[in-house]
Amino acid sequence: MLPEDGVPQGIRPVGAAGAEDVRSQDMTPDPDTATSTEAADPAATVGGSADGGPGPSPGSGPDSGSSPGFGASGQNRWWIYRGSGQPLYDTSLRELLPEPPPWRRFTGGPVVPPPPADDEEVARRLGRPSGRSPASEQLRREADMVNAALLLRRPLLVTGRPGTGKSSLAYRISRELRLGRVLRWHITSRTTLRSGLYEYDAIGRVQDSAALRALHTAGESPIAPRTAGDRAAGDPAASGGQLPGIGDYVQLGPLGTALLPYETPRVLLIDELDKSDQDLANDLLSVFEEGQFNISELLRARRRHPRVTVLTDDPEGGAEIVGGVVRCRAFPIVVITSNGEREFPPAFLRRCLRLRMPDPDRTQLVDMVTAHLAEGAVTRAGESGDLIERFLRRSRERGGLAVDQLLNSVYLATSGRLPTDAGALDELVDALWHRLDGAGAESRPG
């Protein structure tokens, strides 16, 4: 858990890895948002004090009240994301997050409602909420880079070997900061920027128009005229005898939904960007810099329909678009993962913060097994020949294994369903822990 024992909560430990290089990126102070404490003591910085020691503590318990020296919006708090595994319980990200740098301010509107929760998906990805073990250098580094991305409103590029938990970081951020459903954009070689922003179903609209004309030609009377309320709700089923509005045929993708004008940032996971066409990373630059994009079909119709309600990437979601332009208000928390299959253009890398995700160590693996399979699973796995230790050794021998391979083996080993003979588990584990590079046959011959 961050920070370590003996360090005031909400304060960055002095000397922890990544302090200097993180704060040197884009951290131009904004005089309009400086607190009275900063004005009185220019040496005071985020999470630090004039003498180089930790800054004032914001308090840790639910009864601690306001935190002296941190201001109403928490401008002086470095540990916004702590990596503790526990959701915020006495505050919110909106209260903790300071104003963005002047060059990263966005003023989109009208403000849309907060996103729905998706506790089921988060639990499937992360398991039950539980306190994580004392912080390692990697966890400190991870928290540092997440907090830097939060303050700078910049995407976070997470690289590492497959199966090391890169995608899970987006869900940990969402759970801890209580940001609702994670928007996931899975990238393939055929993915384009347009598919992430929005889709326009022109064929569906033409088909509906033809069906409606055929209905009138046959002399059948319309069921009922479509009301203004139906059009605003964007419900195609309520169209009656009229062609549904254009908004019923426009659906925002994960990236487009993340750029809606929310008061609090959405979490957007752009998964496996290195599998994309070479142009996609360059195409993303303008969207990341401008925080907005045009929907050309709505731009053409903006005089007749200045406000159009479209579908979003959230289940049953809708949002009002003004003038055919989507403008963000709070820049989303963008987690981009890459397995390192290719390099990205320098211009793209300049606009991202970078985090290397190493293989999890024993302590982290114990935390993951406990979160997914409860406390007793680790003990029972130890009784089965210490599967975690064997997994670490086998992972080194086979060029790296994925965490879900360990979870599968622990689940089977502790299920009570395996044959009782001594070799059954060894043979099954050998088959489950196959190489991920496809080199060689890893299961024993039958």
Side-chain angles (χ1 to χ4, degrees):
M1 184 178 293
L2 296 174
E4 293 179 329
D5 293 340
V7 180
Q9 289 194 346
I11 307 303
R12 196 203 187 294
V14 176
E20 306 304 329
D21 57 342
V22 168
R23 293 184 194 166
S24 65
Q25 301 182 61
D26 243 357
M27 293 295 285
T28 304
D30 181 4
D32 295 333
T33 59
T35 63
S36 58
T37 303
E38 291 169 336
D41 183 6
T45 58
V46 175
S49 60
D51 59 2
S57 171
S60 57
D63 300 324
S64 59
S66 61
S67 305
F70 279 78
S73 60
Q75 285 96 330
N76 288 345
R77 178 169 177 170
W78 175 252
W79 291 116
I80 297 174
Y81 171 78
R82 300 163 57 81
S84 65
Q86 295 290 342
L88 295 174
Y89 61 90
D90 60 346
T91 186
S92 66
L93 178 61
R94 187 176 176 186
E95 295 173 346
L96 295 175
L97 195 61
E99 290 293 317
W103 54 92
R104 299 297 293 165
R105 269 188 200 143
F106 305 100
T107 58
V111 175
V112 298
D118 195 2
D119 296 336
E120 182 177 343
E121 176 65 12
V122 172
R124 189 178 72 85
R125 295 271 185 170
L126 304 179
R128 293 174 295 275
S130 60
R132 302 172 76 180
S133 299
S136 64
E137 285 299 310
Q138 164 58 19
L139 291 181
R140 283 198 205 92
R141 175 69 174 173
E142 175 186 302
D144 267 341
M145 299 310 297
V146 170
N147 285 306
L150 280 169
L151 268 63
L152 297 174
R153 278 64 168 183
R154 289 292 186 185
L156 181 60
L157 176 61
V158 185
T159 59
R161 197 179 49 74
T164 54
K166 300 184 296 296
S167 300
S168 299
L169 177 59
Y171 293 88
R172 291 200 296 272
I173 295 171
S174 176
R175 171 187 276 177
E176 182 168 326
L177 301 183
R178 297 190 302 175
L179 297 177
R181 178 176 176 268
V182 174
L183 296 162
R184 182 171 181 263
W185 186 19
H186 184 70
I187 304 299
T188 69
S189 60
R190 297 179 299 277
T191 300
T192 63
L193 177 64
R194 167 73 177 264
S195 66
L197 293 175
Y198 75 96
E199 295 284 357
Y200 173 62
D201 187 7
I203 295 178
R205 196 177 189 202
V206 170
Q207 290 174 338
D208 287 350
S209 178
L212 194 60
R213 284 197 302 271
L215 181 67
H216 287 293
T217 302
E220 299 181 22
S221 59
I223 300 172
R226 194 176 193 208
T227 67
D230 294 333
R231 287 194 296 271
D235 181 8
S239 60
Q242 297 184 4
L243 183 67
I246 188 174
D248 291 351
Y249 302 96
V250 177
Q251 179 163 21
L252 301 182
L255 176 57
T257 303
L259 291 172
L260 286 169
Y262 293 98
E263 284 284 9
T264 305
R266 290 295 300 265
V267 178
L268 170 65
L269 171 62
I270 303 179
D271 210 8
E272 299 186 337
L273 184 60
D274 53 326
K275 287 183 168 56
S276 70
D277 180 86
Q278 292 186 356
D279 293 331
L280 181 58
N282 286 322
D283 294 341
L284 286 168
L285 294 180
S286 175
V287 176
F288 285 163
E289 283 302 298
E290 302 301 327
Q292 68 178 52
F293 65 96
N294 298 334
I295 300 178
S296 57
E297 293 79 7
L298 300 187
L299 276 175
R300 289 195 294 268
R302 66 183 181 274
R303 291 184 179 177
R304 288 177 288 114
H305 306 289
R307 293 175 177 265
V308 177
T309 299
V310 303
L311 307 175
T312 70
D313 192 63
D314 292 318
E316 307 299 326
E320 185 179 68
I321 308 301
V322 179
V325 181
V326 176
R327 294 184 177 90
C328 78
R329 188 176 186 89
F331 189 80
I333 301 170
V334 183
V335 177
I336 305 171
T337 69
S338 168
N339 295 326
E341 294 183 6
R342 67 177 179 86
E343 289 295 324
F344 297 110
F348 176 81
L349 295 176
R350 181 173 65 84
R351 289 165 172 83
C352 298
L353 302 182
R354 303 185 68 175
L355 172 65
R356 171 75 184 178
M357 191 76 73
D359 291 354
D361 57 22
R362 179 185 174 84
T363 300
Q364 292 171 285
L365 292 176
V366 168
D367 287 342
M368 294 177 191
V369 171
T370 301
H372 284 278
L373 301 173
E375 295 280 353
V378 176
T379 302
R380 295 195 298 273
E383 295 170 353
S384 302
D386 197 352
L387 281 176
I388 294 178
E389 193 61 41
R390 291 168 60 187
F391 175 83
L392 288 169
R393 185 169 59 253
R394 191 69 62 85
S395 181
R396 290 191 293 268
E397 293 171 355
R398 298 188 172 182
L401 301 177
V403 173
D404 61 324
Q405 291 175 287
L406 172 64
L407 293 175
N408 289 337
S409 59
V410 172
Y411 176 79
L412 291 178
T414 60
S415 66
R417 301 299 182 95
L418 288 178
T420 55
D421 58 287
L425 177 61
D426 290 340
E427 185 171 345
L428 186 59
V429 163
D430 197 44
L432 289 173
W433 295 352
H434 58 81
R435 295 179 66 102
L436 299 180
D437 57 9
E442 300 302 340
S443 59
R444 295 177 181 176

